[in-house]
Amino acid sequence: MKFCGCALVAAVAPLAIVSTDAFIPFALQKNSLPTKAASYGPLVSSAQTVLSSSTVGESKDALFTRKPRPRYIPGEIPDPDYVRIFDTTLRDGEQSPGATLTSQEKLEIARNLAKLGVDIIEAGFPIASPDDFAAVKQIADLVGNEVFEDDYVPVICGLSRANPKDIERAWDAVKGAKRPRIHTFIATSKIHMETKLNKTPDEVVEIAVNAVTFAKSLGCDDIEFSPEDAGRSDPDFLYRVLSAVIEAGATTLNIPDTTGWNMPWEFGNLIKLLRENVKGAEKVVFSTHCQNDLGLATANSLAGALNGARQLECTINGIGERAGNASLEEVVMALALKGESHFSGGPGSGKLYTAINPVYISPTSKMVSEYTGMICQPHKAIVGANAFKHESGIHQDGMIKNKSTYEIMTPESIGLMRGDSESGAGIVLGKHSGRNAVGTRLRELGYDLEPDKLNAVFARFKEVAEKRKGGLEDEDLEAIVVDQAGQSNMLWRVTGLQVSTGMSGIPTATVKMMGPDMVERYVATTGTGPVDAVYKAIDQIVGVAVELENYSLSSVNEGIEALAITRVSISAKEGGPNDVPSIHSQGGFFKNRKFSGSGSDTDIITSSARAYVSALNKLLTWNARRVNQSEEGHNDHPLTDTDGVGNAEQAEPMAVAEV
């Protein structure tokens, strides 16, 4: 990794959008297609999966036909042992600072969630902005109509506050799906009602009932209601409000531990009490939504399942506001390994199961991580980089003799292919390697790229390999894939870069860029350091006013020639030419979105420039799409319109809060 930036960046050919299959192990892409789907690339039937043995001493994975998914009925699950998985990565997960996703990225994640087999995809908060509405509608119209061989198609859900404008906007976004759902909410804890909502309990009940009634009047027969901050609410008041919304037509009751306050035994008992005391409880499905402020989100979700909750809300990698949400991979694998033996006492036989394909966990985790720019900590359960690595001599000895001595599941069971799946050809990748060798190794690592994407990755591989001695490691290859994933929607790209810096001089950068008009422009500027100088030059060329929110630089592996990978997040300056406000679904206020980008190179300045331009391209693309939607009439109520999103707040003088 070079620590002085004076490299010339070669021009990169325009790239296609990354295919969702780029993140999926090659061996998993050859099964079957949905019976009714657009022809955008191979999909895998959700009827087959790989699971590791759940008993210590058995080291072989079993390939078997997944348990059939019960027929979907709003408010009812024919098999009381079945647990629905509700994924809110695209809504609550995207609310993580810096995790803004483009519409295309949301669509690709949604398609991977469908391959994973989640029962419900909460696609977003439609009234937040025109782009959010368009993204939810696109997912509903496409993913919500792609039916798999076993008749599975995900429910597409839109979040709304408890007022008519929000609810109608959510319904307009999701009604194109085969199975649309509206999720509406209002706070029920004393502190929220008194200090935030300024509402009496009677008023809260009335608002909740009116919201569900209005949703039903639009033609929606699948309505989820959440009493926000239920974990700190008076149980007697919960009985009252939940009984009322059931009578009004709610089919799913989601019980949020909004602040992550509850202990598992407290939260489990709350679910039990609600099932026993809410009138009409037998007519609805109880759900959990647990935040991770005390690190108990997964434990609380499982405690809910133990006590009768049959829908668990979670996110990929556990991302979300503050400390995040219950992690989908943790919840799913806990049920896969323990569901048949440790959940007796609730409804049914106590042998709980889901219809998730765990082999898609690792690919989906990678996709979410790279698109949001939020990298998992190495020791993260299930999907962390160290989750299946063993360094202790005692552990290594046990693994050599029997892998089940220290692994309760195999990496292959979650779609992470270990050495056994490699070609064994002894290939060393370097500057003389061909496209086939690079493509073969990438497939072994889980990246089966489309030809144009492989060409772009291979071109970048050649650039890097020319500067390296001894070949590229797997980590280097993965960094290059990440780098190219960040270069989609390329409006601007760096074609030349040179910096001068040192202890006695003023850091100076000369940057050359090519824009969407294919005209090259260059600027020379000074800064407090070489990266600052480069970023100021890029800002001048592109004509943006942004704040650099986060900047991180790390080495992919060891050595002076190691690749550097840079990750940044930016937001438009308030009132600037690229201001991109949207409504925050938790606070009800307008905020500027954050956009992340990543880049890699053996030169840290070049790596930094690529990451920054990647984030800028996302911001500019998002802004351009919003303007186009307004001009074409897709946004019939822009943020300043009296009938629009801004007025939604005025329509109900009620603060918004987290679900």
Side-chain angles (χ1 to χ4, degrees), residues 22 41-43 51 57 154 232-233 290 347 364 388 402 549 566 580 605:
L43 282 175
L51 273 180
R232 296 190 296 173
S233 298
C290 300
T364 308
F388 296 98
N402 186 331
E549 301 281 351
T566 307
V580 286
I605 307 301

Side-chain angles (χ1 to χ4, degrees), residues 12 15 18 370 429-430 438 442 445 447 449 453-466 468 471-487 556 563-565 567 598-602 610:
V12 180
L15 301 179
V18 182
E370 301 309 339
L429 296 177
V438 173
L442 285 172
L445 291 172
Y447 302 95
L449 308 181
K453 177 63 178 175
L454 178 59
N455 289 340
V457 170
F458 181 68
R460 185 74 182 134
F461 164 82
K462 281 291 194 181
E463 292 176 22
V464 174
E466 288 287 344
R468 293 285 301 275
L472 274 69
E473 303 291 337
D474 290 345
E475 293 83 0
D476 298 319
L477 277 180
E478 292 192 295
I480 291 172
V481 173
V482 171
D483 177 86
Q484 293 305 301
Q487 306 305 313
V556 173
L563 273 178
I565 186 163
R567 303 180 192 278
S598 59
S600 64
D601 197 86
T602 53
R610 292 175 68 86

Side-chain angles (χ1 to χ4, degrees), residues 122-268:
E122 188 167 51
F125 182 44
I127 206 166
S129 72
D131 194 65
D132 281 279
F133 174 85
V136 175
K137 189 176 190 306
Q138 179 177 235
I139 291 169
D141 293 346
L142 297 179
V143 182
N145 285 279
E146 293 167 350
V147 184
F148 284 69
E149 282 186 341
D150 57 356
D151 291 327
Y152 156 73
V153 61
V155 174
I156 306 299
C157 177
L159 181 71
S160 73
R161 298 167 294 184
N163 68 63
K165 285 184 178 292
D166 275 38
I167 294 168
E168 187 168 12
R169 192 67 168 158
W171 178 243
D172 287 342
V174 302
K175 64 184 180 182
K178 285 185 175 292
R179 294 172 180 163
R181 176 186 289 193
I182 292 175
H183 179 191
T184 189
F185 68 96
I186 190 170
T188 55
S189 66
K190 182 178 179 180
I191 186 172
H192 279 246
M193 289 190 292
E194 291 181 354
T195 65
K196 186 187 69 174
L197 298 182
N198 194 27
K199 300 287 184 183
T200 66
D202 288 346
E203 289 175 317
V204 168
V205 172
E206 182 181 4
I207 292 171
V209 169
N210 289 343
V212 173
T213 301
F214 181 70
K216 190 173 182 180
S217 73
L218 295 175
C220 182
D221 62 357
D222 193 351
I223 304 168
E224 178 171 335
F225 175 78
S226 291
E228 186 201 1
D229 203 19
R232 296 190 296 173
S233 298
D234 177 10
D236 288 331
F237 181 60
L238 286 178
Y239 303 157
R240 178 186 171 194
V241 69
L242 294 179
S243 297
V245 296
I246 290 175
E247 186 176 355
T251 54
T252 298
L253 299 183
N254 180 49
I255 311 303
D257 181 21
T258 300
T259 60
W261 172 251
N262 294 133
M263 294 291 105
W265 47 92
E266 289 180 288
F267 190 73

Side-chain angles (χ1 to χ4, degrees), residues 595-614:
F595 298 84
S596 63
S598 59
S600 64
D601 197 86
T602 53
D603 185 295
I604 62 173
I605 307 301
T606 303
S607 172
S608 299
R610 292 175 68 86
Y612 192 64
V613 172
S614 169

Side-chain angles (χ1 to χ4, degrees), residues 20 104 201 271 361 374 405 416 443 533 606 657:
T20 57
Q104 182 63 31
I271 298 296
I361 287 176
M374 303 186 71
T405 53
L416 183 61
R443 283 194 294 272
T606 303

Side-chain angles (χ1 to χ4, degrees), residues 369-452:
S369 179
E370 301 309 339
Y371 284 178
T372 62
M374 303 186 71
I375 306 304
C376 292
Q377 66 267 35
H379 55 278
K380 169 73 173 67
I382 317 296
V383 294
N386 293 345
F388 296 98
K389 291 184 178 179
H390 308 269
E391 187 167 331
S392 162
I394 295 175
H395 286 219
Q396 290 174 344
D397 179 66
M399 285 293 294
I400 291 170
K401 294 174 179 175
N402 186 331
K403 290 184 175 63
S404 292
T405 53
Y406 288 102
E407 287 185 353
I408 60 172
M409 71 192 84
T410 67
E412 290 83 3
S413 69
I414 63 160
L416 183 61
M417 300 306 161
R418 197 156 38 187
D420 292 344
S421 64
E422 297 178 9
S423 61
I427 295 173
V428 176
L429 296 177
K431 66 179 182 179
H432 300 297
S433 298
R435 183 180 285 97
N436 185 40
V438 173
T440 298
R441 188 69 194 111
L442 285 172
R443 283 194 294 272
E444 292 170 351
L445 291 172
Y447 302 95
D448 187 37
L449 308 181
E450 294 180 353
D452 54 351

